[in-house]
Each structure stands twice: as C-alpha cells, then as structure tokens.
Amino acid sequence: MTEVELKLRVVATDHPAEGVRRLVLTDAEGGDLPAWEPGAHVELTLGEGLVRQYSLCGDPADRSRWQIAVLRERHGRGGSAFVHDGLAADDVVSARGPRQQFAWEPSRSHLFLAGGIGITPLVPMLAAAEAAGVPWVLHYGGRSRASMAFADELAGRYGDAKVVVHPEDEEGLLDLGRIVGPPRDGLRVHACGPASMLAAVEQACASFPAGTLAVERFVAREDAAAPGGAFEVELTSDGRVLAVGTEESILDVLERAGVDILSSCREGTCGTCETDLVEGLVEHRDSILTPAEQEAMDVLFVCCSRAAAGCSRLVIDR
C-alpha cells in the first residue's frame, strides 16, 4: 500500500454501540481513496496537536469511502472526545494513510479474538476469511452487549456459530485458554483489544509455532517511554554522531538536530517513524514488530527503541 496525505470529508455518522461513533469518510475532492487491505489504519489530525490512528473497518473494495469507529475514552487524551463532539457531517480533516501494521494473511484456518473496540480491524478480516472459503471463528468480548459495536451486524451476516459474543456482564472475562486451545497446524490467530487481554492471548499461544499469532495494540507497552542507558546514534546521510541521553528518545535527539522525520504516536504503536537499522543491536520497545521481526535487527522505531545493553552505538539510515 502507498501511504499518502489526504483531505477527508465526513459524510455520515452513527453510533453502532453505546459510546462508539462511526464515521464515513470520503475524499474531500470527490476522487477515489487509496487502496487498502484488512488490518490497515489511517492517521487523522483532529484539531491542533491531536494526531490519532484508527483502524479501517469498512469494505476494502469500496474505494469511494472509508469507515472508522471510535470509542469515547473516559480517561483519554482528547482524540476520542474530538471525534465524538468536534466533528459533524461535511467537516474536513487532514489524514495520512493507509498504513499497515496488522496484515491479514491467508491460512488454512483462522481464529479472531476481539476485546471491545478491538473489533474494528477484524471486521474486514472476517470478510476476507469468508471470501477465501476457509474455516474461521470470532470470539468477541465486551463489557455488555450494548457496548459491543458490530456484534449484531456480524452475527446476522455470518451466524452465531462463527461470531461468538461474550458480554462480560453475562459471562465474565473471556476464557482465552479454553478458546485458544492446543496448537493446530495451519492456524492463524489475530487478536486486538486491551493490554490485559493481549497478554492473556500471548500466554495462551506461547507453545504455538512462531508466526501463528498477530496482535494489534491500541496502548503502548509500559516500558515504551521508560528511561534507559545512554548511547550514540550515527546517521548514514552525513556521518553525524548524536548522543542520546537516559531520559530522551532517539526521536527527541533527531528532531533537536534538525533531521526531517515523520512521527505521530511517539510511543511505538503507529509505525510512522520506522527507520532502517544499518548496524548495532536494538532494545525493541514498540508494539508493532513480531518476535521474529525484532530478532532480524533491521528496523527500529526511533520514538521508543533504544540501544540494547552492551551496544554503545546504533547506525541508522537517516
């Protein structure tokens, strides 16, 4: 997918669940929107200083419109409140995307696990699995049925055998150990939801073959912005060597040095600041790379990644 800068117009809104607002967005000039694949997200600029990423949850084949669904976060940082209260039909917002960090991959069978608003990137994945004609099932947990966006719509489309809804006020928390079960050949697991749920999913899948599990996080790892040891960063573009202190990120240092670099979340969840690693060992703190991708030591996210213990210098392609 090619990432581009866009102006998007809000053409319709509704509330598919309590506390969730869905926006339908079109190109402000009336053209086709960029192609995207299940799992992709778009970055929106929501007023001054608010840049947020939201999963695309519509039909990838429909180039005329995009859809996102946003949960009102009671203790958020302003992005969800802006979407709920600050946007109306015909408003235009700046955007960048589509961006892919959570790709759907064909497999012999699929298990989808959603918690709350984590259902959004999975909606187009379910359609892709259905179109592929392979076995799949979704287990979807939420506080209550009324709070679970798309639950009735998906169950009506695919049936209760494939869309299994688990309201917490009726059943308690998802029994992920039972749901995941033992390793199976050809299984692909996609999970999106709160950090506690994803930690339980990772534990349940610990004995599965590498590459079985793919997760998307809406919240950064706890250590993403934690202090670390000091180190140096060398830039391939001009050979400059910059010092990174214990309380600052590589991104902080690059910006201070006048290096032109795109960034957004500043906590390792969006992927905007991905940078090629030329030399050195990285302590990965992002919420994007798989364990195998981390071991490859060929990219890092300068907003949160640091030099690994014993490595005094990273050489990056900047």
Side-chain angles (χ1 to χ4, degrees):
M1 292 185 299
T2 301
E3 186 175 316
V4 297
E5 294 185 358
L6 301 160
K7 294 289 186 181
L8 300 177
R9 187 179 305 278
V10 180
V11 296
T13 72
D14 67 356
H15 292 83
E18 288 180 357
V20 177
R21 191 183 194 201
R22 173 165 46 188
L23 303 183
V24 179
L25 306 161
T26 63
D27 180 80
E29 301 300 323
D32 282 347
L33 292 166
W36 60 282
E37 298 172 355
H41 63 266
V42 61
E43 177 182 285
L44 301 183
T45 300
L46 305 170
E48 193 163 333
L50 291 176
V51 179
R52 299 291 185 268
Q53 295 78 38
Y54 299 109
S55 296
L56 295 170
C57 57
D59 179 3
D62 186 354
R63 299 283 297 277
S64 69
R65 60 186 57 206
W66 284 351
Q67 292 185 39
I68 63 170
V70 181
L71 173 69
R72 182 189 290 275
E73 299 281 0
R74 287 178 293 177
H75 305 292
R77 297 175 295 164
S80 68
F82 190 96
V83 170
H84 279 255
D85 303 327
L87 287 178
D90 211 39
D91 283 350
V92 174
V93 295
S94 297
R96 173 177 284 274
R99 186 174 299 143
Q100 182 63 275
Q101 302 290 349
F102 185 49
W104 180 80
E105 296 182 9
S107 189
R108 295 206 298 273
S109 65
H110 295 269
L111 172 61
F112 300 101
L113 304 170
I117 200 62
I119 188 63
T120 51
L122 300 183
V123 171
M125 292 189 184
L126 306 184
E130 184 74 4
V134 296
W136 65 269
V137 63
L138 164 70
H139 287 268
Y140 180 10
R143 296 188 311 276
S144 66
R145 289 182 184 273
S147 71
M148 298 172 70
F150 309 117
D152 292 341
E153 176 184 330
L154 293 172
R157 184 183 306 163
Y158 300 119
D160 293 336
K162 287 186 173 180
V163 178
V164 187
V165 177
H166 303 271
E168 185 178 344
D169 60 353
E170 299 176 22
E171 301 183 13
L173 296 175
L174 287 172
D175 185 352
L176 289 165
R178 178 189 63 80
I179 290 170
V180 172
R184 283 94 77 196
D185 289 340
L187 176 67
R188 176 77 169 172
V189 181
H190 283 89
C192 185
S196 57
M197 173 196 146
L198 295 182
V201 172
E202 289 174 332
Q203 182 176 2
C205 293
S207 62
F208 283 48
T212 298
L213 174 63
V215 303
E216 179 160 73
R217 304 177 189 275
F218 292 144
V219 179
R221 288 175 29 166
E222 291 183 1
D223 66 346
F231 59 98
E232 295 177 335
V233 171
E234 181 179 336
L235 312 183
T236 57
S237 60
D238 56 16
R240 276 187 294 171
V241 176
L242 307 174
V244 181
T246 59
E247 301 282 344
E248 59 187 352
S249 69
I250 301 173
L251 178 59
D252 293 333
V253 172
L254 294 176
E255 290 178 333
R256 190 167 64 240
V259 177
D260 186 20
I261 180 171
L262 290 174
S263 67
S264 177
C265 71
R266 306 185 79 91
E267 57 185 15
T269 59
C270 75
T272 307
C273 68
E274 180 175 344
T275 299
D276 288 340
L277 177 67
V278 178
E279 187 177 324
L281 297 176
V282 175
E283 178 187 334
H284 293 285
R285 297 181 175 189
D286 64 89
S287 302
I288 299 169
L289 298 179
T290 66
E293 289 169 336
Q294 291 181 348
E295 290 176 7
M297 289 291 174
D298 55 3
V299 299
L300 74 162
F301 297 91
V302 295
C303 65
C304 62
S305 300
R306 304 188 69 82
C311 177
S312 61
R313 179 181 293 187
L314 299 177
V315 182
I316 63 174
D317 188 18
R318 288 289 178 184

